[in-house]
Amino acid sequence: MLKDITLGQYFPGDTLAHRLDPRTKLLAVVCYIVAIFSCHTLWAYGTMALTLAVAARISKVSARALFRGLRPVLFIITFTAVLNLFYTPGETLWTWWVLRVTREGLYTALAMVTRITLLITGTFLLTYTTSPIRLTDGLESLLAPLKKLRVPVHELAMMMSIALRFIPTLIEETDKIMSAQKARGADFESGGLIRRAKALIPLLVPLFISAFRRADELATAMECRCYHGGEGRTKLHVLHFAARDYAVLAFYIVLAAAIVALG
Amino acid sequence: MSTMIETKDLSYTYPGGEGTAATLALDGVTLSIARGSFVVVLGHNGSGKSTFAKTLNAVLLPGGGTVWVDGMDTKNEALLLEIRRRVGMVFQNPDNQIVANVVEEDVAFAPENLGVPTAEIRQRVDDALEAVGMTEFTLHAPHLLSGGQKQRIAIAGVLAMLPECIVLDEATAMLDPMGRREVLNVIEGLHREKDVTVVLITHHMNEAEHADRVIVMDDGHVAMDGTPREVFSRAEELRALGLAVPDTVALLRELKANGLDVPTDAITVSDCADAIMDAMKQHA
């Protein structure tokens, strides 16, 4: 069950999308999101869908992998679609018992489903083509101006990368604790929701204790390797914008501007 | 030979919590560790050996007395980074000292902290990974490696600081015999080829075989101090301190007790085998 957790799954590759600077991709996603929320016409949605399809094609990410990312939000999508479909006032198309579908409702529901689908798959494309480390590096570099406002940007980026580093370790540990508890008769699989939630307590307590101990040891080890915050820190991999980054970025800015103005 | 680390009247007390008394972990330790030496610190649990290790690069500051690293007092906060760069420390649990999720990024962590220029970081990372024989794993994820490999990455992470001394605080305790062998081979290689001073804290007697010097700690004191031969020839004293002699020495002592005329101070397996061969030839 724990093997399924894929937070920000990354597919290694060597395509144009993989080689782009993470900052370019982050900014492009921001433009993409702005554009999606400004879509009002069929043309605009069509353009965005085409952009996504081309980007996915370039990244060599299969449509199946792309839509798999939608599975966890399927419920939200259906829920929004149903609500919009039945509860939007307007010209009646079809009625049955208390249910009434309107023309406006149908349009809004379709628009919402398209919008959420494009939004999720688009952002998934970012994590599919960018390793977590490059993503954090990109975020740290983009948010660097906030340091002047005393926002602990470096610390946040460091926390994020350490969290990513420890996910597999903690999952492994959870598996171990679960096996140990099962060997002593614990039951994680039967019973209702509350019963199952309660069964997790003897799992979470040791997990938390060990996570704190790990954190303590890691902090000492980091200090021993001369960690003293972000000040004066250099990098093994320095980010730099290449011509392709400017081109991609220009394309997305124009796209967002055009959709905001015309869509 | 010049002095790498020197301690004088070093003591350290862990403050007691609610319901527990304060414990005196180190009590008047005066030692001097020569540059380029290979020192093994032995002791049973609670003997103070780990506490001693942690005072060597200012993870713990002495409660009393002084520690000098290359002549620098560890209590001087202005010298903290310089002290920690010179004395690298490798800990017991490999999982809890690896920071990044790519091997090369982890090895680069210390030089990044020290503000080393990018091109030189690359060079140091490649050199360090080569020195521990992990070059082919440069782009791997650390959590998929074996314990011995993870610990070698941790050593590479320390090597990238270009330290003069490496302290290993029970760094082999959580490893299987093969992983332990891997790590010890790397350490012995570094000592031999790069002239790194090594302080190896352990409770495995057999790890002392390549040491120049063995220090036995008990109850916060230095109980014994000498070459491996000197220390392991005092088997009764070691037993009184809750320690056993290495398997090789134990075997030779048994043989001698049963009438075979063998020396009892051969520590490495090959020396031990030679000694038995010689004795048997004479016997025949």
Side-chain angles (χ1 to χ4, degrees), chain B residues 58-82:
Chain B
V59 172
L60 296 178
L61 293 177
T66 316
V67 178
W68 291 277
V69 170
D70 232 348
M72 297 180 288
D73 187 337
T74 59
K75 273 183 281 199
N76 187 343
E77 243 180 82
L79 298 173
L80 191 64
L81 285 186
E82 198 41 46

Side-chain angles (χ1 to χ4, degrees), chain A residues 234-236 238, chain B residues 116-126:
Chain A
T234 47
K235 287 266 177 194
L236 172 63
V238 182
Chain B
V116 173
T118 299
E120 201 192 324
I121 298 182
R122 180 81 259 166
Q123 188 61 44
R124 284 194 189 190
V125 168
D126 294 345

Side-chain angles (χ1 to χ4, degrees), chain A residues 137-179:
Chain A
D137 276 357
L139 269 177
E140 183 176 359
S141 158
L142 279 179
L143 298 177
L146 292 180
K147 277 182 197 161
K148 293 217 174 64
L149 299 172
R150 302 233 179 160
V151 178
V153 176
H154 165 75
E155 285 74 5
L156 288 173
M158 185 54 94
M159 279 192 257
M160 220 170 111
S161 65
I162 289 177
L164 287 167
R165 144 80 184 86
F166 274 90
I167 287 173
T169 310
L170 291 179
I171 288 179
E172 201 177 292
E173 178 136 33
T174 313
D175 268 343
K176 236 187 255 171
I177 300 174
M178 263 179 135
S179 307

Side-chain angles (χ1 to χ4, degrees), chain B residues 53 77 95 149 153 178 270 274 276 280:
Chain B
E77 243 180 82
D95 277 322
Q149 289 172 327
I153 296 301
M178 236 169 69
S270 59
D274 288 346
I276 295 173
M280 282 169 75

Side-chain angles (χ1 to χ4, degrees), chain A residues 131-133 137 158 161-162 164-166 168-169 172 210 213-215 217-229 231-238, chain B residues 57 59 81 84-85 89 91 93 95-102 104-118 121-122 125 143 157-158 161:
Chain A
S131 77
I133 277 220
D137 276 357
M158 185 54 94
S161 65
I162 289 177
L164 287 167
R165 144 80 184 86
F166 274 90
T169 310
E172 201 177 292
S210 114
R213 202 185 48 237
R214 281 180 194 282
E217 281 182 27
L218 183 72
T220 311
M222 283 170 74
E223 279 187 9
C224 282
R225 284 160 78 186
C226 299
Y227 181 70
H228 56 284
E231 213 175 303
R233 216 163 174 268
T234 47
K235 287 266 177 194
L236 172 63
H237 295 295
V238 182
Chain B
N57 73 344
V59 172
L81 285 186
R84 288 195 174 148
R85 186 195 70 72
M89 178 109 45
F91 294 93
N93 189 335
D95 277 322
N96 297 352
Q97 50 189 323
I98 290 175
V99 186
N101 45 12
V102 181
E104 63 167 7
E105 294 272 354
D106 186 71
V107 177
F109 183 69
E112 285 179 343
N113 290 332
L114 291 164
V116 173
T118 299
I121 298 182
R122 180 81 259 166
V125 168
H143 70 269
V158 164
M161 299 194 285

